[in-house]
Amino acid sequence: MNQKVRHILDTIASMFPDAHCELHHSNPFELTIAVLLSAQCTDETVNKVTASLFQKYKCPEDYLAVPLEELQQDIRRIGLYRNKANNIQKLCQLLLDKHGGEIPRSHEQLTELPGVGRKTANVVVSNAFGVPAIAVDTHVERVAKRLGLAGPDDSVLEVEKKLMKKVPRDEWTLTHHRLIFFGRYHCKAQNPQCEVCPLLDICREGKRRMKTGGSRKSKP
DNA sequence: CTCCCGATAT
DNA sequence: ATATCAGGAG
């Protein structure tokens, strides 16, 4: 394996040794609902909503037993709530019709579920079923491009392929979580901590930022 | 590509 | 006021 890649993996491993899934859940069904809800929304907000949501709705039948408008109101604070409520009910009906009420284990079956795309399916198979995968979300995409693990104009699918090629398969899931923690808490979208970043010397984006302006809100 | 969308940080 | 948040579907 490439030495720069090894250096990156070791560094983020020492920064975030206990990176994990931050969406609260207690089974594959809850995880799938939580990830579906997490689109364009923070994990923190999702957890606030699912705390009560998962007490009220425990199985597909529960989500189908209420009017769509009621489910919409129950997840309103998440945002994109009309699409998401609709997808949840369709997903639950499909689980009952074709999968015995259970979340399917295969990536292909998962992406056939309404509201479940490639990224969500990757999160579910890796976190719930132990299948190695690298889900490319907004954080993974940003970090991979800043560090040069992917090209600046690569699609999320291209980013995923390049990461899978560069990272050993048995490290995919852990690396995925560490890249997210690194992106969420250190290499942030708005105020990246380049000044104290142990990867600054191998980061083009970081060095570019340190030259041209650095910290954007400094004094005269 | 556009739309969906409220909560939070900056 | 604007940017961003564990995206997906049409």
Side-chain angles (χ1 to χ4, degrees), chain A residues 23 41-51 77-79:
Chain A
L23 292 167
C41 178
T42 61
D43 283 15
E44 198 175 344
T45 302
V46 173
N47 288 335
K48 285 179 186 170
V49 168
T50 56
R77 289 186 299 153
I78 300 277

Side-chain angles (χ1 to χ4, degrees), chain A residues 63-81:
Chain A
Y63 286 99
L64 292 166
V66 302
L68 180 59
E69 298 75 33
E70 182 173 339
L71 181 55
Q72 286 180 356
Q73 288 313 306
D74 287 339
I75 65 170
R76 182 176 33 84
R77 289 186 299 153
I78 300 277
L80 309 181
Y81 61 91

Side-chain angles (χ1 to χ4, degrees), chain A residues 5-204:
Chain A
V5 175
R6 187 71 265 165
H7 177 56
I8 291 173
L9 297 187
D10 290 344
T11 302
I12 64 175
S14 68
M15 292 175 78
F16 304 102
D18 58 349
H20 60 283
C21 178
E22 296 203 296
L23 292 167
H24 298 164
H25 65 281
S26 54
N27 56 57
F29 180 62
E30 286 187 356
L31 176 62
T32 304
I33 300 293
V35 180
L36 186 157
L37 290 173
S38 71
Q40 297 294 296
C41 178
T42 61
D43 283 15
E44 198 175 344
T45 302
V46 173
N47 288 335
K48 285 179 186 170
V49 168
T50 56
S52 51
L53 191 77
F54 291 163
Q55 291 211 2
K56 178 173 179 180
Y57 305 95
K58 303 218 177 268
C59 59
E61 290 89 340
D62 291 343
Y63 286 99
L64 292 166
V66 302
L68 180 59
E69 298 75 33
E70 182 173 339
L71 181 55
Q72 286 180 356
Q73 288 313 306
D74 287 339
I75 65 170
R76 182 176 33 84
R77 289 186 299 153
I78 300 277
L80 309 181
Y81 61 91
R82 281 184 275 255
N83 287 342
K84 289 174 182 176
N86 198 30
N87 283 334
I88 287 173
Q89 286 199 332
K90 295 273 179 55
L91 180 151
C92 287
Q93 188 62 56
L94 205 153
L95 286 184
L96 293 174
D97 290 344
K98 309 221 173 207
H99 301 288
E102 299 289 315
I103 298 294
R105 298 178 144 274
S106 85
H107 188 284
E108 173 148 1
Q109 307 263 47
L110 281 164
T111 52
E112 288 172 3
L113 302 174
V116 177
R118 185 177 184 85
K119 176 255 171 181
T120 298
N122 278 335
V123 172
V124 172
V125 297
S126 61
N127 283 295
F129 303 131
V131 178
I134 298 180
V136 179
D137 67 356
T138 181
H139 298 298
V140 175
E141 179 182 11
R142 181 181 66 252
V143 168
K145 288 181 177 178
R146 281 181 179 170
L147 290 174
L149 294 171
D153 298 320
D154 285 350
S155 67
V156 290
L157 183 57
E158 287 169 331
V159 173
E160 184 185 329
K161 286 179 178 173
K162 289 185 179 179
L163 289 175
M164 288 192 294
K165 184 176 178 182
K166 293 177 181 182
V167 177
R169 179 182 286 266
D170 63 335
E171 298 181 50
W172 283 358
T173 300
L174 197 47
T175 297
H176 153 71
H177 284 129
R178 287 171 178 163
L179 285 173
I180 287 185
F181 269 60
F182 182 69
R184 182 178 293 161
Y185 301 114
H186 185 87
C187 190
K188 298 182 288 186
Q190 288 191 284
N191 285 91
Q193 310 293 95
C194 299
E195 302 86 347
V196 294
C197 187
L199 291 173
L200 181 59
D201 53 330
I202 57 124
C203 181
R204 280 192 185 178

